[in-house]
Amino acid sequence: MRKHIFNAGPCKLSDPALKNTAEAVLDLNGIGQSILEVSHRSKDFEAILNEAVALMKEILNIPEGYSVLFLGGGASLQFAMIPFNFLKTKAFYLNTGTWATAAIKEAKMFGEVEVVSSEDKKFTYIPKGYKIPADVDYVHITTNNTIRGTEIFEDYNFGKPLIADVSSDFLSRPIDVSKYVMLYGGAQKNLGPAGVTFVIIKNDFLNNVVADRKIPTMLQYKTHIDGGSMYNTPPCVNIFTVRETLKWVKSLGGLKAMDKLANDRANLLYGAIDSSKMFVCPVVKEDRSRMNIVFVMKDQYKDKEDDFIAFAKSKNCIGIKGHRSVGGFRASTYNACTMEDVQALVNAMKEYEAKNA
Ligand SMILES: *Cc1c(COP(=O)(O)O)cnc(C)c1O
């Protein structure tokens, strides 16, 4: 039986993406070779990569003048590549959690970093109403905070080049790509297996690359744009699974449909938490993530957290242990998570509460 998977990443993927990848691993399109064996320069693979790029452009309604890249190194390498390429003197970073903090650490190696943070309240809210200095090279935000469970639902307009780490809420709502010069993320939260990173970058923004800095070839965006993600061998099987996920998202009705599903899942689970005697969500209501639902036990039940994790497991709900830095629970309800999965967790919570509260 397939479990109810709430892992934060790698995470649950859609059934068609898994099934079609499994088939392609054994024999790609009946050509007598596995997707693991074909040349990345072959017509067969070229068609897969081209379709993945085309589906990204279609589903996200990406305007002309942007490139879609599939790279290695994870979102974490982007934390370094972005300032390496684009931080001349000063950048602005919104620090909304653990991953944003990691991005800031890298940026500080290349220049001055102006930060607005929600660390004062353990990252349980998204800062608002701050001012961005006029002289920054770019602004960096993290649209969904995978560990802390907050999310930004709007496409900001700061009048400065905007770069967003969208690793953990990618494809969960319609997004206005034209407001950003770059969107990026690790695939393993909403899009595919670990090992491939997507980058959507405005080609014109390359004019802002720091001119007098030596940047290794592999760490230049230009290399990968010019090479069509094939400067070196790309992660072929991962890109195959990404394409399958994109086909699946399209078949469900695209981003509007994913948006509704995300609302339905989040409403069901937050509803159960908010009406519970035992569980509570520490995150400010308006900023609560629909992708990573963080909750804890109220103080008088704190000692039961491990027991509840074991109980949920006995009901086939797995991956709900909170990040080690936060504790409690986190149910990651990414795109492939179904209402049945969430209902199973809600049932487990209610049953446990009836016995123990
Ligand atoms: C998981 C995650 C990362 C790190 O991704 P890697 O691909 O493991 O480097 C970065 N940002 C966010 C928002 C994440 O959720």
Side-chain angles (χ1 to χ4, degrees):
M1 186 220 152
R2 194 146 156 72
K3 301 241 160 101
H4 302 294
I5 301 168
F6 296 98
N7 292 333
C11 66
K12 186 175 179 187
L13 293 174
S14 73
D15 290 340
L18 293 179
K19 180 169 170 291
N20 296 342
T21 303
E23 279 171 11
V25 164
L26 294 176
D27 189 354
L28 177 65
N29 306 331
I31 63 168
Q33 292 179 75
S34 164
I35 177 70
L36 303 176
E37 297 170 322
V38 296
S39 164
H40 61 293
R41 307 274 173 206
S42 66
K43 286 254 171 317
D44 297 292
F45 182 72
E46 198 181 31
I48 293 163
L49 179 61
N50 289 344
E51 193 182 356
V53 170
L55 282 165
M56 284 275 252
K57 289 186 172 171
E58 182 185 344
I59 291 168
L60 287 152
N61 200 13
I62 299 176
E64 286 294 308
Y66 282 75
S67 297
V68 176
L69 309 175
F70 294 108
L71 309 176
S76 299
L77 184 59
Q78 296 306 307
F79 294 165
M81 259 174 90
I82 290 162
F84 209 158
N85 281 262
F86 300 117
L87 206 175
K88 277 190 201 82
T89 51
K90 193 199 270 188
F92 180 90
Y93 277 67
L94 187 62
N95 189 0
T96 47
T98 312
W99 293 113
T101 302
I104 290 164
K105 179 177 170 222
E106 300 303 300
K108 281 184 172 163
M109 294 186 204
F110 297 94
E112 194 183 329
V113 183
E114 181 96 12
V115 177
V116 165
S117 171
S118 53
E119 198 172 1
D120 58 336
K121 291 186 181 150
K122 295 191 176 165
F123 299 113
T124 51
Y125 72 104
I126 301 285
K128 289 162 200 101
Y130 46 87
K131 287 230 158 45
I132 307 237
D135 57 347
V136 294
D137 298 317
Y138 63 85
V139 173
H140 182 281
I141 62 170
T142 310
T143 52
N144 184 71
N145 298 286
T146 322
I147 293 174
R148 306 295 173 157
T150 60
E151 188 171 0
I152 295 170
F153 297 102
E154 109 190 62
D155 298 313
Y156 291 144
N157 199 346
F158 295 124
K160 290 281 154 198
L162 180 61
I163 298 177
D165 174 356
V166 295
S167 295
S168 54
D169 64 350
F170 193 53
L171 302 181
S172 68
R173 68 168 174 90
I175 181 169
D176 182 354
V177 176
S178 73
K179 296 262 173 68
Y180 303 82
V181 293
M182 183 174 156
L183 299 164
Y184 71 94
Q188 70 274 19
K189 311 280 166 61
N190 263 309
L191 192 60
V196 62
T197 313
F198 59 91
V199 171
I200 300 165
I201 184 166
K202 192 172 188 179
N203 298 329
D204 281 357
F205 191 52
L206 288 194
N207 297 332
N208 296 29
V209 171
V210 182
D212 55 359
R213 184 179 287 154
K214 282 190 183 152
I215 304 174
T217 310
M218 269 295 282
L219 301 184
Q220 295 176 29
Y221 290 101
K222 185 176 187 311
T223 302
H224 301 292
I225 294 172
D226 291 349
S229 297
M230 297 255 263
Y231 170 75
N232 69 328
T233 320
C236 298
V237 68
N238 308 59
I239 293 171
F240 181 94
T241 310
V242 165
R243 183 193 66 169
E244 294 308 309
T245 301
L246 292 166
K247 279 167 38 182
W248 169 78
V249 167
K250 184 178 164 181
S251 76
L252 290 184
L255 299 187
K256 279 211 178 108
M258 303 319 285
D259 193 32
K260 181 181 180 310
L261 290 170
N263 269 339
D264 291 348
R265 288 188 304 260
N267 288 340
L268 178 57
L269 187 46
Y270 283 121
I273 295 165
D274 288 341
S275 63
S276 157
K277 284 201 277 286
M278 232 179 178
F279 301 96
V280 61
C281 171
V283 178
V284 168
K285 255 193 184 143
E286 61 177 2
D287 298 327
R288 287 177 175 180
S289 170
R290 304 186 305 179
M291 300 281 110
N292 306 97
I293 298 178
V294 168
F295 54 109
V296 296
M297 273 183 176
K298 291 183 181 168
D299 285 343
Q300 66 268 40
Y301 301 113
K302 270 268 178 244
D303 59 332
K304 294 196 187 304
E305 287 188 343
D306 287 344
D307 190 49
F308 176 68
I309 288 169
F311 181 77
K313 208 176 214 170
S314 77
K315 302 288 174 188
N316 287 315
C317 295
I318 61 152
I320 62 158
K321 193 172 169 56
H323 189 269
R324 59 189 183 281
S325 61
V326 179
F329 317 104
R330 169 180 54 174
S332 295
T333 52
Y334 297 125
N335 289 349
C337 176
T338 62
M339 284 299 272
E340 281 163 33
D341 293 327
V342 178
Q343 191 62 58
L345 179 57
V346 167
N347 292 348
M349 289 163 69
K350 295 212 159 125
E351 194 179 327
Y352 190 81
E353 186 168 319
K355 279 188 201 147
N356 293 284

